[in-house]
Amino acid sequence: MTTTPPSPSLSPSSLPSPSSVPAPCTVPPFEPLRVRGARHRLRRALRRGRRAPALLLALTAGALTVAHTNPAPAAPPPTTTTRARPPAPAPLVSAPVRIADAATVRLLRPGDRVDVIAAPHSPLSGKDDARVVATGARVAEVPRPDETRPDGGALVVLSVPRPTAAALAGAGVTSQLAVTVC
């Protein structure tokens, strides 16, 4: 085993002597610090503290006024890829519609959405294609269950835009109407 000689920097003569180190935890004595007029300053600050909310409100109002008069730079104009706002929906009207099958009407409840389909009265009329007269019409009223008609039809009130109501009235005269629930 080889031993290394001690380094010259850690020689006993280089260490501080015990007399040059101060004694631990000694604090020199001193007079207490006294500030003149501190009690009066505190009272004065508390009195002014009542004005602080009013001052804060006034500063906020001033900042908002400055921000409003000097608005931020305008945003760039919208690009052509953004969608335009959809047009306002047309006001709805109530349209009474006679549905040929009363059993189908018994399945409906107010608030349901239905499509109304018009089929010609007879296949001999030359027009044998059914057509959709109204889509997504909201059911406003349905007949009471005890109401029956001899022809088997039932009257339903639908909420639809005015042009659709006119198309339903015309189709009801020339065709039998049926509904499908959306």
Side-chain angles (χ1 to χ4, degrees):
M1 178 182 326
T2 40
T3 59
T4 57
S7 68
S9 64
L10 297 177
S11 66
S13 63
S14 66
L15 295 174
S17 67
S19 64
S20 65
V21 176
C25 299
T26 39
V27 177
F30 62 92
E31 287 284 321
L33 184 62
R34 297 184 194 267
V35 179
R36 291 187 203 171
R39 186 173 15 170
H40 298 294
R41 284 188 200 146
L42 178 62
R43 285 183 185 159
R44 196 172 29 203
L46 289 175
R47 272 185 288 171
R48 288 185 180 158
R50 293 180 188 159
R51 296 181 193 152
L55 179 64
L56 182 62
L57 183 62
L59 288 174
T60 304
L64 289 175
T65 303
V66 169
H68 183 66
T69 56
N70 298 329
T79 60
T80 57
T81 58
T82 59
R83 288 191 225 166
R85 182 181 292 179
L92 300 179
V93 296
S94 297
V97 177
R98 171 100 27 221
I99 304 299
D101 186 14
T104 305
V105 173
R106 282 189 225 119
L107 299 174
L108 299 177
R109 301 285 174 258
D112 287 347
R113 296 281 180 175
V114 296
D115 292 342
V116 181
I117 302 167
H121 284 293
S122 71
L124 300 176
S125 66
K127 291 182 176 179
D128 55 355
D129 292 336
R131 62 186 172 95
V132 178
V133 180
T135 58
R138 188 177 58 83
V139 176
E141 294 179 33
V142 292
R144 293 189 312 264
D146 60 346
E147 290 181 8
T148 58
R149 287 200 29 100
D151 63 356
L155 188 66
V156 178
V157 179
L158 302 176
S159 292
V160 293
R162 188 175 300 275
T164 306
L168 284 169
V173 173
T174 60
S175 307
Q176 292 182 341
L177 302 179
V179 292
T180 58
V181 180
C182 298

